[in-house]
Amino acid sequence: MGPMNLYFDFRDIFRAPRLALSGKKIWIFIVGNLAGYIVYWVFTYLSLVMSGIEFGDALSKYGLYPCLFGNDSSILPWILYGIGIEAWIIAIFMSCTAVSRVTLKQLKGNDFFSAKDAWDYVYKHWHPIVFSPISVILIIVFFLIFAAIFALFGKIPFLGEFLFSILYLFYFFGSLFTVYTLFVLLTTIVYTPAIVGTYEEDTMGTVFQSYSIAWSQPWRIILYHFILIPITLIGVKILSWFWKASFQLINFVFGCDWFMGEKLDNVLGYASSLVYADWMTGALGISDLSTVPNTSSTILSTISDLSVSVVFGITNLFELILDCLPNLSYQQAGEVLSGTETFSGLILSFVLFLILLSVLSYGLSVLSVGETIMFVIFKKNSDDDNLLDRKDEDELEEENDDTNLDFNDKSEHAYSNVSSGHSEEE
């Protein structure tokens, strides 16, 4: 099966929802999300306990969705909470790289590249996935430190004013490069999985590719996302409708008085109460941001204000995600459940959680496939490099194995001829 025929323009972005609707890709994101979620869950509850909250009280309040915001905490719990968030983000990045690898193989016509092969590739190339955004951040910090050093020169009496005026053009272009690097940082965060998954770059190569596409393809980056994000939301909404319709059909059949009746109401109602916390039906519970560590320094105060803005942005993002997820909540019939109903509800809550996670994973799959297609388009338009015709490391290894096998066969054949010749002479 040959490579897929691409237009290498915006029309290829519309393929993302169909290519992303794959059990293999969705399963990769489910595994990655579960791994990241478990680490986040553990570290968040550790941070809550270190903030002076009893574990039982925290568990009854937050359940499956712990959050440190809204609690009075010191710096160390916030650090632990940040580690949990970072672990989940890294797990998602790893999953994106695995899906990007599967997408590349699929675009090349190889539909047999497994999820295990993709994870093996990620384990082999995890360094650029983690360190590429960090490298760009260090570049920004490096320029800011040098800017602070030159700013100190400006405090020199009499000479400082002249140095500031003479070197202002140098300061301006340094500042311009720093602002451009901020845009590159966003590009790196978005495209690192696609770059590593398709182009097999190391950390420095990934940073170089990020600078390259940020410089040569800025309008394509912006315009293509105006296509990708809406079709992602539409695709998730459609999948959510099918998931909810299936959920309601099961309830209609099994909830009939002739069958399970009230028993289904009890089991399903208890399970949905565990999966759907109170804040999921209303606000996200991050209304009180006054507990974000306060500082008196101007710089630290600015960072604190920025963190509040980031939290509000994350809040809006969560609300958008929740609006796309299917509503699988169910009203419990009785207040008292039997032991078997309670245990069955616990098992079913995990199933409902996986169903919700599968919808979220499909949305991430669409985004990951879309970013991969974008990078393939960028390389074709900027460098005339068709990644679908380019042999990746797996194909090169197969060729080397075939070459070695042919060489060994020929050597054995020659050796057998020589041996037979010696035998005839004797």
Side-chain angles (χ1 to χ4, degrees):
M1 189 174 180
M4 189 175 296
N5 293 322
L6 298 181
Y7 297 102
F8 295 103
D9 58 28
F10 69 93
R11 290 173 290 182
D12 295 322
I13 306 300
F14 291 97
R15 300 173 186 258
R18 179 176 59 83
L19 294 176
L21 191 59
S22 162
K24 187 191 306 181
K25 299 185 181 73
I26 294 175
W27 175 248
I28 288 174
F29 271 112
I30 289 177
V31 172
N33 269 308
L34 272 179
Y37 165 78
I38 291 172
V39 177
Y40 167 82
W41 193 90
V42 171
F43 273 86
T44 303
Y45 272 109
L46 282 176
S47 66
L48 289 170
V49 171
M50 292 185 65
S51 301
I53 304 174
E54 293 291 336
F55 178 74
D57 296 337
L59 187 62
S60 62
K61 180 180 179 180
Y62 295 105
L64 291 173
Y65 312 102
C67 181
L68 188 59
F69 289 102
N71 297 285
D72 189 10
S73 305
S74 58
I75 295 297
L76 185 56
W78 283 103
I79 293 176
L80 289 176
Y81 184 63
I83 292 174
I85 294 175
E86 183 66 22
W88 200 347
I89 292 174
I90 291 176
I92 292 176
F93 269 49
M94 299 288 190
S95 303
C96 288
T97 306
V99 169
S100 179
R101 191 66 176 178
V102 172
T103 303
L104 175 67
K105 295 292 187 177
Q106 187 177 7
L107 292 176
K108 285 186 169 187
N110 182 5
D111 293 323
F112 300 100
F113 191 76
S114 67
K116 181 182 180 301
D117 295 331
W119 282 119
D120 290 340
Y121 178 84
V122 170
Y123 296 149
K124 184 179 178 181
H125 296 269
W126 67 269
H127 299 86
I129 303 171
V130 176
F131 293 111
S132 295
I134 295 176
S135 300
V136 179
I137 292 174
L138 290 178
I139 292 174
I140 296 173
V141 172
F142 175 81
F143 274 88
L144 292 177
I145 291 174
F146 265 83
I149 294 173
F150 282 110
L152 288 175
F153 293 159
K155 294 179 67 67
I156 302 175
F158 304 109
L159 183 61
E161 298 90 317
F162 290 103
L163 286 176
F164 177 75
S165 300
I166 293 172
L167 297 177
Y168 186 82
L169 194 61
F170 172 75
Y171 300 154
F172 177 81
F173 283 108
S175 177
L176 181 63
F177 182 78
T178 304
V179 174
Y180 168 65
T181 305
L182 286 172
F183 179 67
V184 173
L185 176 60
L186 295 176
T187 305
T188 305
I189 293 173
V190 172
Y191 289 105
T192 288
I195 295 172
V196 177
T198 60
Y199 218 62
E200 302 163 351
E201 290 282 17
D202 56 10
T203 300
M204 293 305 298
T206 302
V207 173
F208 173 79
Q209 293 293 340
S210 299
Y211 271 97
S212 176
I213 63 177
W215 178 259
S216 61
Q217 313 284 335
W219 288 111
R220 282 196 176 96
I221 293 175
I222 296 172
L223 293 177
Y224 284 4
H225 279 92
F226 275 114
I227 298 174
L228 179 62
I229 293 176
I231 64 175
T232 300
L233 295 176
I234 293 172
V236 171
K237 274 288 191 182
I238 294 174
L239 185 66
S240 296
W241 183 88
F242 277 100
W243 261 225
K244 185 176 181 180
S246 302
F247 174 76
Q248 291 174 339
L249 179 60
I250 293 175
N251 299 339
F252 175 76
V253 176
F254 284 77
C256 180
D257 293 335
W258 293 351
F259 303 114
M260 292 186 66
E262 184 176 340
K263 187 181 294 187
L264 177 133
D265 296 340
N266 290 335
V267 173
L268 191 56
Y270 177 65
S272 64
S273 68
L274 296 177
V275 175
Y276 280 86
D278 294 336
W279 58 265
M280 295 182 71
T281 57
L284 280 172
I286 315 179
S287 57
D288 183 11
L289 301 177
S290 60
T291 55
V292 177
N294 294 322
T295 53
S296 56
S297 172
T298 303
I299 296 177
L300 294 180
S301 178
T302 302
I303 295 175
S304 179
D305 293 339
L306 179 61
S307 66
V308 172
S309 300
V310 170
V311 170
F312 274 119
I314 294 175
T315 302
N316 293 329
L317 178 60
F318 278 171
E319 290 177 348
L320 180 61
I321 293 173
L322 288 177
D323 184 59
C324 292
L325 294 178
N327 186 359
L328 306 183
S329 59
Y330 197 84
Q331 185 65 36
Q332 186 173 323
E335 296 182 358
V336 180
L337 276 70
S338 65
T340 55
E341 288 176 344
T342 302
F343 187 70
S344 300
L346 288 173
I347 297 175
L348 185 58
S349 65
F350 178 71
V351 176
L352 293 180
F353 184 76
L354 285 181
I355 291 174
L356 292 180
L357 193 59
S358 68
V359 178
L360 177 63
S361 297
Y362 172 67
L364 291 172
S365 179
V366 177
L367 291 175
S368 181
V369 171
E371 308 296 351
T372 303
I373 294 175
M374 285 186 204
F375 184 70
V376 171
I377 296 172
F378 296 159
K379 293 302 295 182
K380 176 63 176 178
N381 289 320
S382 62
D383 302 335
D384 196 23
D385 185 4
N386 189 349
L387 299 186
L388 305 188
D389 295 334
R390 182 175 179 267
K391 292 184 178 180
D392 54 52
E393 63 181 34
D394 299 327
E395 295 168 341
L396 292 176
E397 287 179 1
E398 290 178 0
E399 284 189 355
N400 291 334
D401 292 340
D402 293 340
T403 302
N404 293 332
L405 183 61
D406 292 340
F407 178 77
N408 292 333
D409 291 341
K410 291 179 180 178
S411 299
E412 292 178 359
H413 182 67
Y415 178 76
S416 62
N417 290 337
V418 172
S419 300
S420 60
H422 284 299
S423 300
E424 290 177 358
E425 292 175 0
E426 292 175 358

